[in-house]
Amino acid sequence: MTPTRADVVAAAARIRHHVHRTPVLTSRTIDGLLGAEFHFKCENLQRMGAFKIRGATNAVRMLPDVVETVATHSSGNHGAALALAAAEAGLRAIIVVPSDARESKRRAIERYGAEVVTSAPTLASREATLERVVADTGATFVPPYDHADIIAGAGTSALELLEQCPGLDQIWVPVGGGGLAAGTVLAVGDEAQVMLAEPELAADAWQSLNSGVLQGAMPPVTVADGLRTALGKLNFAILREAGMTVRLASEAGIEAWVARLSAILKVVVEPSAVVTLAAMAENADVARGRVGVILSGGNV
């Protein structure tokens, strides 16, 4: 079923004792560089280092009591989030991880107590490996992004940001599978303009929303490894209904903004988290007024 803003609000109440209310940072230097007033929602400082714990916790807390094992495929952050959420709920977790995933993210999944199964670095291989895991173990699949409970949980970050910074003109989020993007659209409604960004080398959401036809994943080569997955079907429907467009960012721009945020804000962010800033810098005058930016993760 398609989630609503009411589902985001309910998710916020459901998970509030299991996630951090992350801080918002500002920087006059970045304001000057990009020509707007920026407010950075630091999900890089979230539990397990990314916004993904929000959706994973919400989804796990919504499972029937009979579920004993959960499984998913993930390049890292959703896998770590599900591992942590499952451990806290007393469930077994099995995570299919592509062979090209960052080693730090693989270690995090194992640290939170999940079993790791390696697949080839393509979406098709990840999904096929997951099917075998589910068939062998009877696990319940908790999708990384294409699921109503995941979307609602992800949207709680924007809900918090609106409470912390009333009167924002825009909220920028990266888009990969689309859970954070779709959740933000639901949470924000008409309170602010939602702006999306993704890498030029993983521009399937840009292609999908421009053509009106959902596209498959592009080759997994962008440095923004958290955005290599294809846009989910439910997420696509929500973004298309809302009339969303996507701004693109170059690889050089993404890498430059990782270093820039480290130097200016003194925070550690992963490449996926700064695709928004690179896109703003490379698309003149698209960031305007009081701008919220969700820094999606900090696992590098």
Side-chain angles (χ1 to χ4, degrees):
M1 296 188 299
T2 301
T4 65
R5 190 178 192 275
D7 293 314
V8 179
V9 173
R14 187 176 297 115
I15 70 175
R16 64 192 177 95
H17 295 303
H18 303 283
V19 303
H20 295 322
R21 185 178 176 90
T22 51
V24 176
L25 301 181
T26 60
S27 168
R28 291 182 181 178
T29 300
I30 296 177
D31 292 353
L33 288 172
L34 295 176
E37 178 188 315
F38 289 91
H39 301 266
F40 296 97
K41 177 68 168 164
C42 293
E43 290 296 288
N44 57 307
L45 301 179
Q46 184 55 263
R47 295 188 69 201
M48 57 69 53
F51 79 95
K52 290 282 192 176
I53 189 63
R54 295 175 179 272
T57 299
N58 189 50
V60 165
R61 297 288 161 175
M62 292 287 283
L63 290 172
D65 291 340
V66 295
V67 172
E68 297 180 350
T69 304
V70 293
T72 196
H73 62 84
S74 170
S75 61
N77 281 341
H78 174 64
L82 184 60
L84 178 56
E88 293 189 335
L91 304 179
R92 175 190 180 195
I94 306 171
I95 314 298
V96 175
V97 179
S99 59
D100 63 342
R102 291 178 182 272
E103 185 58 31
S104 60
K105 293 184 177 182
R106 180 184 295 268
R107 288 197 301 270
I109 292 169
E110 294 172 335
R111 185 168 64 249
Y112 294 130
E115 302 167 40
V116 171
V117 176
T118 303
S119 73
T122 65
L123 183 59
S125 176
R126 286 163 58 155
E127 291 177 341
T129 304
L130 177 67
E131 285 182 9
R132 290 196 297 272
V133 167
V134 169
D136 291 344
T137 66
T140 295
F141 174 37
V142 179
Y145 45 82
D146 200 8
H147 188 280
D149 296 336
I150 295 290
I151 293 169
T156 63
S157 178
L159 203 65
E160 284 183 9
L161 179 56
L162 290 171
E163 294 170 354
Q164 293 165 305
C165 301
L168 292 174
D169 297 298
Q170 296 179 336
I171 295 181
W172 282 74
V173 295
V175 56
L180 180 61
T184 298
V185 166
L186 296 177
V188 172
D190 59 3
E191 291 189 50
Q193 181 184 21
V194 178
M195 305 290 288
L196 308 181
E198 72 179 339
E200 291 175 350
L201 296 184
D204 65 282
W206 180 85
Q207 293 176 353
S208 297
L209 293 169
N210 280 348
S211 68
V213 178
L214 186 61
Q215 305 294 311
M218 297 177 69
V221 294
T222 178
V223 67
D225 60 307
L227 307 181
R228 291 173 179 170
T229 51
L231 186 62
K233 293 179 181 178
L234 180 55
N235 316 70
F236 171 62
I238 293 170
L239 298 180
R240 188 182 181 197
E241 175 68 21
M244 290 292 100
T245 58
V246 180
R247 288 346 191 260
L248 301 179
S250 69
E251 295 296 292
I254 295 167
E255 293 180 353
W257 275 98
V258 169
R260 218 166 263 139
L261 279 200
S262 176
I264 298 171
L265 281 187
K266 305 299 188 288
V267 296
V268 176
V269 291
E270 58 191 84
S272 299
V274 299
V275 168
T276 50
L277 295 167
M280 292 177 207
E282 294 168 8
N283 294 268
D285 301 323
V286 294
R288 296 185 296 274
R290 300 183 72 236
V291 179
V293 180
I294 297 179
L295 298 177
S296 54
N299 293 315
V300 296

